[in-house]
Amino acid sequence: MEMFAQILSSGIAVGMIYAVIAFGFQLTFATSGTLNFGQGEALMLGALVGLTCVDLFGMNYWLMIPVVCIFGMVQGGFVELVGVRPAIKIKSEFGWIMSTIALGIIFKNVAENIWGRDALPFPSPLPMEPMAFLGANILPMEILVVVGALVMMLLVEFFNRKTIYGKAVVATANDRDAAGLMGINTSMVITFSYALSSLTAAFAGVLIAPLTLTGAAMGGALGLKAFAVAIIGGLSSGMGIIVGGLILGIVETATGFYISTGYKDVPGLILLLLVLAFKPSGLFGKTAIKKV
């Protein structure tokens, strides 16, 4: 029972990181029907910029977070302007895919040249001594990861539901053409959704960095797993994103403990294949009906 509690607590922390990154996929897909396949690199850059702020400039961890969030917004807006908007203008079905992948590779190469290829330790703002809870040893930083991820997603939901700019995002997500006819600058909304998407990824980067090593290679696997979470849960469902993240995080942790860490990625990918085969819209997603 104690071991089950340990697996559950660790899996929830990992799963919430996947969920907050996957939440960024949902934001861009809702407004433009596109995805940023460099989302993992946005997380990586956020973590490395945060490390620079803390180590080089001596900035407090909590004061560093707004700086990283602003950086994430700028980086996401740049990706949309350079890689996505031209493809949308010419109605290219695959141009944005190649553009976001290419920009992700460029960001990774730039990070390797600035920060090097070695993984770097990120100082934790909280004590690293685990706390006993229901037989499990839980790090304070793991609790911060879960709380921080939930707070970020709730803030975005509040923004979308209660502010005039958020309602413009929702209107564009519901019907981009109709929103444009109503006077909403849909191009600006799409840019903002990419900025918000990268903000969530950069924020996730500084959340998870103290629990792992920070480096130019950290984003690739996390971005891929977050994409799997988005597909499993459903790109149109916020609740599905959270449930998908928790499922993948717990399954990975359990597989790593009971079988082998070398196989911990396998069950999640098998689940992804099953969802794509039997419910392509995701466990909580809605099947879209397109009139032709």
Side-chain angles (χ1 to χ4, degrees):
M1 192 65 187
E2 291 180 357
M3 189 53 64
F4 176 77
Q6 186 67 57
I7 291 170
L8 196 64
S9 62
S10 299
I12 288 173
V14 173
M16 289 308 298
I17 285 295
Y18 293 159
V20 78
I21 306 169
F23 193 62
F25 284 121
Q26 186 194 31
L27 289 171
T28 60
F29 185 78
T31 56
S32 63
T34 62
L35 300 169
N36 179 10
F37 284 101
Q39 189 80 338
E41 279 63 42
L43 176 144
M44 172 269 295
L45 287 173
L48 288 172
V49 168
L51 180 64
T52 300
C53 290
V54 172
D55 274 0
L56 189 62
F57 299 109
M59 193 176 291
N60 180 277
Y61 179 89
W62 309 108
L63 295 177
M64 167 272 295
I65 290 177
V67 175
V68 168
C69 289
I70 292 171
F71 172 83
M73 291 193 74
V74 173
Q75 188 262 346
F78 175 80
V79 169
E80 194 279 333
L81 288 170
V82 174
V84 178
R85 184 173 297 188
I88 292 177
K89 276 187 177 181
I90 63 173
K91 300 186 185 302
S92 171
E93 292 186 16
F94 306 107
W96 57 269
I97 298 176
M98 298 309 299
S99 296
T100 54
I101 291 174
L103 284 169
I105 294 171
I106 291 171
F107 289 139
K108 181 181 177 182
N109 288 340
V110 169
E112 287 176 342
N113 282 283
I114 295 175
W115 287 280
R117 297 190 176 189
D118 295 333
L120 305 169
F122 197 110
S124 174
L126 299 177
M128 293 304 289
E129 291 78 24
M131 303 181 300
F133 180 74
L134 296 178
N137 293 319
I138 303 175
L139 293 173
M141 200 64 210
E142 290 178 330
I143 298 174
L144 179 62
V145 164
V146 175
V147 173
L150 285 173
V151 168
M152 172 59 72
M153 289 187 281
L154 287 173
L155 285 175
V156 173
E157 282 297 312
F158 177 83
F159 172 83
N160 286 339
R161 294 174 184 272
K162 300 298 182 180
T163 70
I164 187 68
Y165 300 106
K167 289 177 181 178
V169 173
V170 174
T172 303
N174 290 333
D175 192 325
R176 195 195 318 170
D177 294 331
L181 292 173
M182 294 297 292
I184 295 174
N185 187 339
T186 55
S187 294
M188 187 62 67
V189 169
I190 293 171
T191 302
F192 178 75
S193 70
Y194 265 82
L196 200 57
S197 171
S198 289
L199 181 154
T200 60
F203 177 70
V206 295
L207 278 183
I208 197 173
L211 293 173
T212 182
L213 293 175
T214 307
M218 70 181 292
L222 288 170
L224 183 61
K225 291 176 182 179
F227 177 68
V229 165
I231 299 300
I232 292 169
L235 279 165
S236 60
S237 171
M239 179 58 68
I241 294 290
I242 296 175
V243 173
L246 293 176
I247 290 173
L248 187 59
I250 293 170
V251 167
E252 273 191 3
T253 306
T255 303
F257 177 78
Y258 288 113
I259 302 176
S260 168
T261 55
Y263 291 101
K264 68 184 181 70
D265 296 333
V266 174
L269 295 175
I270 291 174
L271 179 59
L272 173 63
L273 293 173
L274 290 173
V275 170
L276 288 174
F278 297 104
K279 202 174 187 302
S281 59
L283 297 177
F284 292 82
K286 297 178 181 177
T287 304
I289 300 175
K290 185 180 288 186
K291 294 182 180 180
V292 295

